[in-house]
């Protein structure tokens, strides 16, 4: 399999298969939202668009990164969302990097959003689709975020069929500037468990696929093994 890792500024619209990675925290939070019952996640380009979408759909819940803000119901934190009851709900998600990257590749033939918590399922979708080549999009720090690069390389090793001990990759993520910022409270809207929750490999048994639906970028869970429910995901 041929693969490349790029940042959002390097995307040129020719990507046919893309995996958009935001470990800390957009696509860990999104995975938790699905686990807590969300039906779908609508991705917004900015706060204004998120609030406009919600105005037209008042029953939907708006989520953003940073501190809580008027008009938004949730914040981009797995630690804060893990107890929320989202059964059957639609969530509108806006973040600084993750949703921006997903919107940039939403028209690709296959576009997935990923983090460590859905790594195995993401790799299975790619393998089942015979995806080649694959563009991994490291969204943080214009493609330099250590945690996103580590996750991309981990996925690449899985797809290559090589030994894949996750610990070295998790160490890189755990010692990243983003993890340090979260631990030290430099990011608003964070929870003390966020870093640990972002580093749970294969916490969930579904992947997350993004595509256009009625003109909106919609993220949906994609269970790769319908008859399998991991102990940790119960």
């Amino acid at each position: 399999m041929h693969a490349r890792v790029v940042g959002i500024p390097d995307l040129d619209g020719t990507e046919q298969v893309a995996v958009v990675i935001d470990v800390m925290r957009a696509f860990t939070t999104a995975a938790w939202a699905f686990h807590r019952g969300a039906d779908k996640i609508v991705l917004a380009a900015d706060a204004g668009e998120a609030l406009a979408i919600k105005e037209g759909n008042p029953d939907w819940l708006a989520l953003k990164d940073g501190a809580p803000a008027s008009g938004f119901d949730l914040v981009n934190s797995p630690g804060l969302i893990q107890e929320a009851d989202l059964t059957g709900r639609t969530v509108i998600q806006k973040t600084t990097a993750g949703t921006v990257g997903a919107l940039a590749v939403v028209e690709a033939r296959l576009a997935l959003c990923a983090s460590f918590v859905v790594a195995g399922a993401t790799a299975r979708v790619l393998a089942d689709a015979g995806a080649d080549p694959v563009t991994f999009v490291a969204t943080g720090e214009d493609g330099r975020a250590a945690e996103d690069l580590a996750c991309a390389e981990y996925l690449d090793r899985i797809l290559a069929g090589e030994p894949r001990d996750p610990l070295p990759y998790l160490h890189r993520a755990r010692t990243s500037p983003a993890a340090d910022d979260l631990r030290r409270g430099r990011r608003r809207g964070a929870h003390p468990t966020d870093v640990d929750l972002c580093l749970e490999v294969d916490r969930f048994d579904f992947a997350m696929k993004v595509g256009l639906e009625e003109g909106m970028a919609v993220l949906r869970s994609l269970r790769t093994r319908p008859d399998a429910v991991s102990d940790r995901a119960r």
Side-chain angles (χ1 to χ4, degrees):
M1 186 201 75
H2 300 86
R4 64 172 183 150
V5 183
V6 301
I8 296 173
D10 301 312
L11 294 169
D12 58 17
T14 64
E15 297 77 21
Q16 292 299 304
V17 178
V19 180
V20 186
I21 299 172
D22 190 325
V23 172
M24 296 185 188
R25 293 163 286 171
F27 299 136
T28 301
T29 299
W32 270 100
F34 285 124
H35 180 63
R36 297 301 301 164
D39 177 56
K40 64 182 179 182
I41 298 175
V42 176
L43 305 181
D46 53 42
E49 182 179 41
L51 292 176
I53 293 172
K54 182 175 178 178
E55 183 176 1
N57 303 273
D59 292 336
W60 293 4
L61 302 174
L63 178 155
K64 67 178 287 293
D65 49 9
S70 177
F72 286 87
D73 310 281
L74 305 164
V75 295
N76 185 43
S77 161
L80 292 172
I81 207 171
Q82 66 175 330
E83 300 299 330
D85 182 2
L86 302 178
T87 304
R89 305 299 295 271
T90 293
V91 175
I92 309 159
Q93 186 181 32
K94 174 270 168 190
T95 68
T96 303
T99 57
V100 174
L103 289 168
V105 300
V106 68
E107 296 190 57
R109 177 171 61 84
L110 176 62
L112 304 173
C113 295
S115 61
F116 281 111
V117 297
V118 293
T122 301
R124 287 194 293 273
V125 170
L126 293 169
D128 290 348
D132 192 4
V134 176
T135 298
F136 292 108
V137 186
T139 59
E141 300 177 35
D142 290 335
R144 299 185 301 274
E147 68 281 4
D148 294 343
L149 292 172
C151 188
E153 291 176 27
Y154 179 62
L155 285 167
D156 188 42
R157 296 284 73 76
I158 296 176
L159 292 169
E162 298 178 6
R164 51 181 190 274
D165 177 3
L167 292 181
Y169 303 96
L170 293 175
H171 176 74
R172 289 165 55 188
R174 190 178 298 278
T175 57
S176 68
D180 189 57
D181 284 347
L182 287 171
R183 278 191 294 265
R184 295 178 181 274
R186 297 192 188 108
R187 296 193 181 187
R188 302 183 70 186
H191 187 273
T193 64
D194 278 354
V195 172
D196 288 340
L197 291 174
C198 289
L199 300 179
E200 291 187 323
V201 176
D202 296 340
R203 177 65 172 79
F204 306 114
D205 63 348
F206 55 81
M208 300 185 293
K209 182 178 180 180
V210 63
L212 290 173
E213 298 182 19
E214 299 181 352
M216 294 185 292
V218 175
L219 186 64
R220 291 188 181 272
S221 64
L222 180 63
R223 198 169 296 280
T224 57
R225 295 178 179 172
D227 59 343
V229 179
S230 68
D231 289 340
R232 302 188 70 185
R234 288 175 181 165

